[in-house]
Amino acid sequence: MGIRDMIDGKREWRAHMARIKALPPDYQIVYKEMQKYFFKVGPVDLADGGLLSGILDFFEEGVDNGKGVIELTGADVAAFCDDLIKDSPTYADIYQDSLGKGEK
């Protein structure tokens, strides 16, 4: 990764964060909690940015349609997150697989 890539990545992240700050406060809270959850659970493809950008697009659309954030995610936000990544490998899965292979 060159310096140009790092600068572009930082610029994209700042633009992403500016979009989050433009959301209503309840959306911001839920987004940040989802983000923390994904960083803990660790879907392998989180680094490509598609998941978080997709959620942000979804939230912006919800705001435009006048919906509350809980109308979009449901009351169990963790279950909503789990459903989004149910078919994605996580770092926890990779770790579990490596533990299982060591026992054989």
Side-chain angles (χ1 to χ4, degrees):
M1 176 183 285
I3 188 112
R4 175 57 49 200
D5 294 332
M6 289 189 290
I7 291 169
D8 289 343
K10 192 171 187 177
R11 185 176 296 125
E12 289 172 17
W13 183 251
R14 285 184 178 157
H16 183 83
M17 294 306 293
R19 288 175 59 198
I20 294 166
K21 289 179 182 178
L23 293 171
D26 56 337
Y27 275 84
Q28 289 182 41
I29 291 168
V30 171
Y31 179 87
K32 288 176 184 175
E33 290 303 314
M34 290 174 72
Q35 186 179 41
K36 279 192 248 181
Y37 183 81
F38 288 131
F39 287 156
K40 276 186 194 172
V41 173
V44 175
D45 60 355
L46 184 63
D48 73 13
L51 177 63
L52 294 176
S53 293
I55 292 168
L56 186 52
D57 292 341
F58 180 61
F59 279 8
E60 288 172 334
E61 187 177 314
V63 170
D64 290 344
N65 291 328
K67 294 186 177 185
V69 68
I70 300 301
E71 288 180 77
L72 299 177
T73 62
D76 189 346
V77 177
F80 179 80
C81 291
D82 287 340
D83 194 45
L84 288 176
I85 61 169
K86 69 182 174 196
D87 296 325
S88 300
T90 65
Y91 289 111
D93 295 334
I94 293 169
Y95 180 70
Q96 287 294 336
D97 288 345
S98 73
L99 290 178
K101 290 177 184 174
E103 293 175 0
K104 294 180 181 179

